[in-house]
């Protein structure tokens, strides 16, 4: 049981490192207010869509914008 938990922690650590690398690369692409806004909007829409997928029964505010 402890071995499985340790393996899961290691997988999570690896995933976190990959996500941090992607974040750092994305931040490096920001040159001005326009690219910063596009990056923030893209992140917001990604998180909104991910939450809608993971929790389809919840009412996310963005869903109201589509009405």
């Amino acid at each position: 049981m402890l071995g499985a938990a340790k393996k899961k922690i290691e997988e999570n650590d690896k995933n976190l490192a990959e996500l941090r690398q992607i974040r750092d690369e994305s931040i490096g692409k920001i040159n001005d207010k326009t690219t910063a806004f596009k990056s923030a909007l893209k992140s917001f829409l990604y998180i909104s869509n991910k939450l809608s997928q993971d929790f389809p029964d919840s009412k996310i505010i963005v869903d109201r914008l589509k009405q």
Side-chain angles (χ1 to χ4, degrees), residues 27-55:
I27 290 172
K29 293 178 183 177
I30 295 173
N31 301 322
D32 55 18
K33 290 180 182 180
T34 301
T35 55
F37 177 74
K38 287 180 181 179
S39 177
L41 183 59
K42 183 178 176 183
S43 295
F44 174 78
L45 292 174
Y46 170 80
I47 291 168
S48 174
N49 288 333
K50 182 70 173 142
L51 289 171
S52 292
Q53 289 173 2
D54 292 350
F55 306 100

Side-chain angles (χ1 to χ4, degrees), residues 2-4 6-7 11 14 16 20-21 23 25-27 29-30 37 39 41 43 46 48-50 55 61-62:
L2 290 177
K6 184 176 180 180
K7 183 176 180 180
E11 290 173 4
K14 182 180 176 185
L16 184 59
R20 284 184 175 147
Q21 181 179 357
R23 178 203 59 199
E25 290 171 3
S26 295
I27 290 172
K29 293 178 183 177
I30 295 173
F37 177 74
S39 177
L41 183 59
S43 295
Y46 170 80
S48 174
N49 288 333
K50 182 70 173 142
F55 306 100
I61 295 170
V62 175

